[in-house]
Amino acid sequence: MAKLAYRTRGNGLPHGKQKVYFCAHPDDYVLLEEVCRSVLERQDCSFWYDEAPREAYEEEEWLSQLSEMTLFVMPVTSRLLWQSNRALDVEFAYAMKRHIPVLPLMWESGLEEEYGKMCGDLQYLDRYKREDGAMRYEEKLTKYLSSVLVGDELAKKVRSAFDAYIFLSYRKKDRRKAQELMRLIHKNEFCRDVAIWYDEYLVPGESFNKAIEEALQKSDLFALAVTPNLLEDGNYVMQYEYPKAKLAGKEILPAELEGTDYFIGLAYLKGIDVEVDGERAERLLQKAAERDLPEAMETLESMYHNGDGVERNYRTAIAWRERLASHRRAAYEREGTRIAYQKLFSVLWNLGDDWQALYGISEAEAAYVEMSDLALEQREKNSFSWKRDLAVSYGKLGDIYMARIDLMGAEKYYLKSLAIDEELAASGAPDAKRDLAISYDRLGDICEARNDLAGAEGYYLNSLAIREKLAASGAPQAKRDLSVSYNSLGDICKARNDLAGAEGYYLNSLAIMEELAVSGAPEAQRSLSISYIKLGDICMVQNDLAGAEKYYLKSLAIDEELAASGAPDAKRDLAISYDKLGDICKARNDFADAE
């Protein structure tokens, strides 16, 4: 992840100093020296900035660091206001939401109107504006900084008010968990007047070691954040901090922040250095899940869904997915970050699909509605992904109405999804084009259900044109999508009694699926089974019972293997294969076998 660097007066350590963050467009980092100097000349604080400004970063970790800032200083330039950038879109918005003061410094003239649109009525300091009788820019800056940041004398009085100090020792990669421990300590009223010292993001060195010794000396308790990361070789905590605390005779409090239940549970589930024991794995993972660990919930959902170490139980799997959704929902409401949103959106998507597979239509609809609400909420935040997420949500809600055979309701949502997908596909991105093809397919299905074969064919041909270009890449998914288009157009030909045309499309699809099914992937196997069924149906219409039986038996062999997984769709496909072979027997007047 991106790392924050800092500057202080005289290059001293930042411990105990209030933090000021440089919030700027990456191209405006040329202003860092001047802004930093202006701030440090007026206040003895620590001035923090991105060590290597970039747009790609781990948002959750990044915002965790920003939450500790006392003030954001933001140079306002045309780049900041007119180009999409992290500083304005994410960091400024985060500061406003968390009520962290922001000081905008107007660095160019003529930006007042655009600034008002982007930042509202937040007052700024204009370094170019000179009005007779008005306070100079430098004076305003000094006054503002002194109003937000605490001076040295007052800071000394503040520190003397604490009853005790705790030294918090943790691995850098466990920073967020350590912050949770700090919040947990201060939730207790009797710990209100206890200060917590921690090493922030310093690089070990001579001055660093000296600071550690001084902090240990004045601390009354050494709190050690315990996670599996402490076991790694060469970490500063176990090599230096912990031995120093023991040598100084400090009271040591080990705080287990990441229980081992999850990791040991995985070990027994997968047989990593221990015997495979599904029952013990399930028990340990449940303990970890009860402690609100989302990874444990995900693992339990997967175990019950796939029958991994436990008896397969889709209802139990969905119950764990529901619990994970509740956890993600609470995290999103608490943090409001893009990552928290994406995690919640993803689990709701999976939850809706799981319910739909079990024909829990109302439950699936509830998940998809929440997805659409979330996407619309992200629109207000100008999130980069809200359009596609909203299109996905509308498509899923259309599927719900299709399941209820409400064609008008389904068409309404499919058209909403199509409008967004057409806009996004103009970018030329393969994923956006694939989404557009899916929208065409769905509307083709609506027309086909209404027996509007010409309308259906038009939509399917639009989809085919896109998929033929995408399949040229050779990607398996693109090829599979192309086979879907061939099958859809084959169905139209069959409905028109154009059996030769239908057979041609179905054979095109079969050639693709026979190639892809070599991988053994269940999805490819199922698609191959469908191709056999469709070609068998053509033979049946032509009264070629031997040909139909040949295709249906091939489909049956695949469906019997897939149904062993217990998946509802696989069982349904197997039932269809039995029906088809029953029809063959019936056509031959072999009623006993048909029955």
Side-chain angles (χ1 to χ4, degrees):
M1 62 165 289
K3 179 181 175 183
L4 282 183
Y6 69 89
R7 296 188 185 181
T8 59
R9 286 182 181 177
N11 296 321
L13 293 174
H15 294 298
K17 297 182 185 295
Q18 297 156 97
K19 297 182 176 182
V20 176
Y21 177 65
F22 184 64
C23 176
H25 187 287
D27 292 341
D28 291 334
Y29 263 63
V30 293
L31 308 175
L32 174 65
E33 296 292 339
E34 184 175 351
V35 175
C36 178
R37 184 178 63 254
S38 297
V39 172
L40 292 181
E41 282 176 353
R42 291 165 173 82
Q43 287 289 334
D44 187 13
C45 58
S46 56
F47 193 90
W48 297 78
Y49 57 95
D50 188 348
E51 196 171 38
R54 58 182 75 77
E55 287 302 315
Y57 65 106
E58 291 292 334
E59 180 178 306
E60 197 168 0
E61 291 283 356
W62 186 256
L63 296 183
S64 173
Q65 298 177 64
L66 296 188
S67 68
E68 300 174 3
M69 299 298 153
T70 305
L71 172 68
F72 281 43
V73 176
M74 182 172 72
V76 179
T77 65
S78 53
R79 284 185 289 257
L80 181 83
L81 297 178
W82 287 325
Q83 297 177 10
S84 178
N85 62 92
R86 183 181 75 197
L88 191 64
D89 298 343
V90 178
E91 295 170 355
F92 172 74
Y94 179 76
M96 291 291 96
K97 180 178 179 180
R98 294 292 295 264
H99 308 296
I100 301 173
V102 178
L103 173 59
L105 304 177
M106 191 64 70
W107 219 263
E108 298 175 22
S109 58
L111 299 179
E112 293 79 7
E113 183 178 351
E114 187 65 21
Y115 170 84
K117 292 178 184 177
M118 302 300 290
C119 303
D121 60 358
L122 180 65
Q123 293 188 356
Y124 57 85
L125 296 187
D126 192 336
R127 60 201 302 272
Y128 296 106
K129 195 172 185 180
R130 292 287 187 268
E131 296 179 357
D132 292 339
M135 187 182 298
R136 296 171 60 245
Y137 165 79
E138 292 79 6
E139 294 172 341
K140 289 182 179 180
L141 178 59
T142 301
K143 182 179 179 182
Y144 182 91
L145 291 175
S146 64
S147 70
V148 175
L149 303 176
V150 175
D152 290 345
E153 291 301 317
L154 182 54
K156 290 178 181 177
K157 295 178 181 179
V158 169
R159 292 190 181 97
S160 66
F162 286 109
D163 294 336
Y165 274 81
I166 294 176
F167 185 105
L168 177 58
S169 179
Y170 65 96
R171 294 293 310 278
K172 300 297 179 292
K173 59 183 68 177
D174 294 326
R175 181 178 177 80
R176 282 191 298 124
K177 292 185 174 66
Q179 289 176 326
E180 291 171 10
L181 177 59
M182 284 191 280
R183 285 190 287 269
L184 184 63
I185 290 172
H186 281 142
K187 277 183 180 179
N188 295 284
E189 185 61 25
F190 69 89
C191 291
R192 186 198 67 177
D193 299 343
V194 174
I196 299 175
W197 190 97
Y198 60 105
D199 63 10
E200 300 170 302
Y201 271 95
L202 303 180
V203 179
E206 184 178 351
S207 59
F208 180 85
N209 293 342
K210 182 180 179 182
I212 294 287
E213 291 180 9
E214 291 175 352
L216 273 172
Q217 187 175 1
K218 73 174 183 179
S219 295
D220 304 278
L221 178 69
F222 182 88
L224 179 64
V226 179
T227 76
N229 293 323
L230 278 183
L231 302 178
E232 295 177 1
D233 293 334
N235 71 80
Y236 189 77
V237 171
M238 298 308 290
Q239 282 186 344
Y240 190 88
E241 290 183 353
Y242 177 68
K244 281 285 184 182
K246 287 190 69 176
L247 188 63
K250 295 295 178 181
E251 195 75 29
I252 295 176
L253 171 66
E256 186 179 11
L257 302 185
E258 188 173 297
T260 57
D261 291 336
Y262 173 65
F263 296 102
I264 302 301
L266 281 181
Y268 280 105
L269 180 65
K270 301 302 181 184
I272 301 174
D273 293 342
V274 292
E275 71 279 11
V276 173
D277 188 335
E279 183 178 343
R280 176 174 287 185
E282 194 266 351
R283 189 166 61 249
L284 289 168
L285 290 166
Q286 280 219 31
K287 285 179 65 178
E290 294 297 334
R291 294 168 58 176
D292 220 25
L293 188 67
E295 292 84 357
M297 298 176 200
E298 287 180 308
T299 303
L300 285 163
E301 186 280 331
S302 177
M303 287 172 65
Y304 280 103
H305 189 275
N306 299 317
D308 183 6
V310 294
E311 184 177 349
R312 184 181 296 105
N313 188 317
Y314 290 108
R315 294 282 175 177
T316 303
I318 282 184
W320 281 113
R321 184 89 75 183
E322 292 271 17
R323 182 157 177 175
L324 178 61
S326 296
H327 175 87
R328 299 295 192 203
R329 192 177 294 113
Y332 175 66
E333 290 171 356
R334 182 176 62 252
E335 301 164 10
T337 64
R338 185 185 302 167
I339 288 180
Y341 158 74
Q342 290 171 337
K343 287 180 178 179
L344 175 56
F345 190 90
S346 176
V347 73
L348 288 172
W349 187 343
N350 289 327
L351 181 61
D353 290 353
D354 285 349
W355 273 119
Q356 197 166 8
L358 286 178
Y359 306 102
I361 302 302
S362 296
E363 293 87 348
E365 182 180 27
Y368 297 148
V369 167
E370 188 174 354
M371 284 166 54
S372 66
D373 290 344
L374 281 170
L376 288 169
E377 185 179 319
Q378 288 297 302
R379 177 178 64 181
E380 302 302 319
K381 299 180 179 181
N382 292 317
S383 171
F384 75 99
S385 65
W386 74 267
K387 286 186 179 180
R388 182 180 187 264
D389 291 347
L390 187 58
V392 168
S393 303
Y394 286 151
K396 291 293 181 179
L397 285 167
D399 293 344
I400 292 295
Y401 280 88
M402 279 294 281
R404 290 173 174 156
I405 319 180
D406 180 351
L407 300 184
M408 186 175 296
E411 184 178 39
K412 178 186 74 172
Y413 279 111
Y414 287 160
L415 285 171
K416 286 184 176 184
S417 182
L418 175 68
I420 298 173
D421 288 336
E422 285 180 327
E423 178 186 347
L424 296 178
S427 69
D431 285 346
K433 289 184 176 181
R434 181 175 186 265
D435 289 344
L436 179 57
I438 292 172
S439 278
Y440 286 140
D441 279 347
R442 285 168 164 161
L443 286 161
D445 293 344
I446 293 285
C447 293
E448 191 173 358
R450 290 171 172 162
N451 204 34
D452 175 9
L453 300 184
E457 184 178 38
Y459 280 121
Y460 292 151
L461 284 171
N462 286 343
S463 176
L464 178 67
I466 295 172
R467 285 173 168 162
E468 284 181 329
K469 292 179 181 178
L470 293 178
S473 69
Q477 181 63 62
K479 288 184 176 181
R480 183 179 179 279
D481 288 344
L482 179 58
S483 79
V484 170
S485 289
Y486 285 143
N487 279 337
S488 297
L489 287 162
D491 292 345
I492 296 299
C493 291
K494 181 184 174 187
R496 289 173 172 161
N497 206 32
D498 176 8
L499 300 184
E503 185 176 29
Y505 278 123
Y506 291 155
L507 286 171
N508 285 343
S509 175
L510 177 66
I512 293 172
M513 293 321 305
E514 284 183 328
E515 174 192 346
L516 296 180
V518 173
S519 68
E523 187 178 28
Q525 294 286 334
R526 182 171 188 252
S527 295
L528 177 58
S529 170
I530 291 171
S531 289
Y532 287 142
I533 289 287
K534 289 183 177 294
L535 284 163
D537 290 346
I538 294 294
C539 292
M540 280 293 285
V541 176
Q542 294 171 333
N543 203 32
D544 176 7
L545 300 186
E549 184 178 37
K550 178 189 70 173
Y551 282 122
Y552 291 156
L553 285 171
K554 287 184 176 182
S555 176
L556 177 67
I558 295 173
D559 292 339
E560 285 181 326
E561 182 178 347
L562 294 179
S565 70
D569 284 346
K571 290 183 175 181
R572 180 177 178 273
D573 290 345
L574 178 57
I576 291 172
S577 285
Y578 286 141
D579 279 343
K580 297 292 184 180
L581 285 160
D583 292 341
I584 296 288
C585 296
K586 181 181 175 182
R588 289 172 173 163
N589 293 324
D590 182 358
F591 298 113
D593 280 353
E595 183 181 28

